[in-house]
Amino acid sequence: MLLLGLGFATGMEFYTADSINLCLTDISGSFGVSGDEASWSLTVYSSALFLGVPVCVWLAGYIGHKSYLIASVVLFAASSVVSATAYSFDTMLVARAFQGLAGAGLVVWWRGTVYMLLPKPMRSESLMRVSTMLYLSSAFGMLFSGYITDHVSWRLICVPNLAYAAVAIWFLLRYFPDLPLERSERPTDWLGIILIVVTLVSLQIILSRGQIDDWFGSPRIRMLVWLGATALILFAIWQTSPRNPAPLLRLDLLFDRYVLSSALIGIFTGMILSGSLYLLPEFLRNVASQPLSATQTGRVMAVYALTAAAVRPLIVGIVARFGQRKTICGALVCLIASMLLINRFLTTGTPATYFYLPLVLYAFCLSALLPSVGSGTVARIEQQKLLDGVSLYMTFRQFGAALGVAAVTILVERRETLHSARLFDHLRASSQVVQDWMTTASNMIAARGGYSALKSHDVATKLLAEVGGREAATLAYADAFLFMALIGVITLCLVPIIPPTPVANK
């Protein structure tokens, strides 16, 4: 019953994350902002979640684990309603920031609760059950939000969160045990909180405004880079200082190979997972020559979540049979293959069914990688340091997730500009191929639309520009998936850092 409560609480976060990814096109239309600006809703959420992760362990001990978890559920549901019903984009971003702070408690404490309350032999099975619920919540989010967006309004995607929250609170109130407070045992690291807030606010402004303000060409961006970097360095020094009686993040745990490997792999996997789940729906809905509706895109993307839910129960036995490092290597190979296949298949006219195989491979990676990294590394440290290890791992992973969307957005825009310049350089009016195409297109437009010769030529020119722009965007998206495959290769090179673990007898 406790696992059901954790599954519904965190399932709300998984449901919302995939729903927002799917509805970005409709969000940008409702608020009259560009697609890049609409992606700020993802970046703001990820950055706030990154901020909330190191704080949530301290805060849960200060106000009580049960109270904190229920408060996180309530705040997440309330902020999702405000976010969906906001009539200004700034209001939505503020609501998304609060949603991220609440989501930090959900994504950390479902795993932290299992480690803290359940005996070691029960943990793998319990984590598997909750993970399966979370993947099913993702699938439901993409199917339901796509349908409700097309037939009613994207603003109603918040409604299931109210049901999730009600069920989760009922289970948690009944089955989550009352644990003693830790106020006297763990004083507040106010300096650490201030420094991490300064770092995160600087990072958020840099990621949101950098492309608009010409990055380091802007004095404000340069100042924020220096401010954020200084605050981050001071935070790291203070967290490892012997004068800090209760560090917000136990960075000294990074000297443990298990924790160090999970933190490094967490950064890169966070980048790939957040970036890929943002890119593919955007391409299918906005760039393809025959754009898919939200419902159709949700059906395509749900393939990975349903596959992951089906595969996840098998992972416990696979890790026991082959060991953690081999499982992680296999998962990363599936991830690299998935990104390369999407890069290979990506054209303006690619049928949606071509993406099923890459999404299935992506699901194999997702279902095996995250539990292997989290349980196989962090879970091996001492019990008294376990929650600090979970917090450290999730902090690095969410840092990667916050960078992922921003990095691929910047990459796509830069590569699209480059491909446009190269492509249109070949579309010269003096080219015989271009002249023949323009003549054929103008004649067809004049015959079917009844336009004059001059008007038909103008329409054909606009059509050529539109087709060329779509081709340039497609090449840019393909480059982004190739970039994520490269990140996967780098992550694969980090696997030897993980200490070898014993495997079960065959």
Side-chain angles (χ1 to χ4, degrees), residues 6 55 106 112 180 347 476 503:
L6 296 173
V55 176
L106 302 179
T347 67
V503 298

Side-chain angles (χ1 to χ4, degrees), residues 24-289:
L24 280 181
T25 300
D26 306 276
I27 291 173
S28 63
S30 295
F31 294 110
V33 297
S34 66
D36 291 342
E37 290 175 310
S39 70
W40 294 355
S41 62
L42 304 181
T43 308
V44 166
Y45 177 82
S46 296
S47 298
L49 200 151
F50 174 38
L51 170 63
V53 167
V55 176
C56 69
V57 174
W58 157 76
L59 193 56
Y62 191 79
I63 68 174
H65 297 81
K66 183 177 182 177
S67 300
Y68 175 74
L69 191 53
I70 292 175
S72 297
V73 172
V74 173
L75 179 59
F76 192 95
S79 56
S80 68
V81 172
V82 175
S83 172
T85 57
Y87 281 92
S88 74
F89 191 57
D90 291 339
T91 303
M92 181 186 181
L93 292 181
V94 172
R96 288 285 288 168
F98 280 101
Q99 202 172 22
L101 292 173
L106 302 179
V107 299
V108 170
W109 278 108
W110 80 267
R111 187 181 295 274
T113 299
V114 171
Y115 289 145
M116 182 174 61
L117 297 181
L118 299 182
K120 196 169 185 178
M122 296 177 60
R123 290 175 186 168
S124 294
E125 185 75 14
S126 301
L127 291 170
M128 180 272 293
R129 293 180 180 182
V130 179
S131 296
T132 303
M133 288 186 65
L134 300 183
Y135 293 136
L136 291 175
S137 292
S138 291
F140 170 69
M142 288 178 283
L143 295 173
F144 175 81
S145 60
Y147 179 85
I148 204 71
T149 297
D150 284 338
H151 292 84
V152 187
S153 170
W154 70 269
R155 296 184 183 275
L156 293 181
I157 63 174
C158 66
V159 173
N161 279 342
L162 302 179
Y164 269 104
V167 176
I169 291 172
W170 187 85
F171 277 111
L172 294 174
L173 285 174
R174 289 176 62 91
Y175 299 106
F176 198 102
D178 293 316
L179 302 175
L181 300 180
E182 301 174 3
R183 296 179 185 178
S184 58
E185 301 177 14
R186 188 162 187 168
T188 304
D189 183 11
W190 289 113
L191 180 57
I193 293 174
I194 293 172
L195 290 173
I196 195 66
V197 167
V198 172
T199 302
L200 262 295
V201 171
S202 301
L203 176 64
Q204 178 58 52
I205 297 175
I206 291 169
L207 294 178
S208 299
R209 298 293 306 177
Q211 188 73 18
I212 299 173
D213 294 342
D214 192 28
W215 296 104
F216 293 104
S218 167
R220 179 171 64 173
I221 296 297
R222 292 198 298 268
M223 181 193 70
L224 287 171
V225 169
W226 281 107
L227 179 63
T230 303
L232 182 61
I233 293 171
L234 292 176
F235 176 78
I237 294 173
W238 174 242
Q239 295 306 294
T240 55
S241 171
R243 300 178 61 184
N244 186 354
L248 197 64
L249 275 181
R250 293 285 303 275
L251 295 181
D252 58 293
L253 292 177
L254 293 175
F255 292 105
D256 187 311
R257 281 179 65 186
Y258 289 113
V259 181
L260 177 62
S261 59
S262 66
L264 293 177
I265 293 175
I267 291 177
F268 293 113
T269 54
M271 289 182 64
I272 298 171
L273 299 181
S274 65
S276 57
L277 291 180
Y278 161 72
L279 278 180
L280 190 53
E282 283 292 291
F283 175 83
L284 293 175
R285 297 206 60 193
N286 298 312
V287 181
S289 58

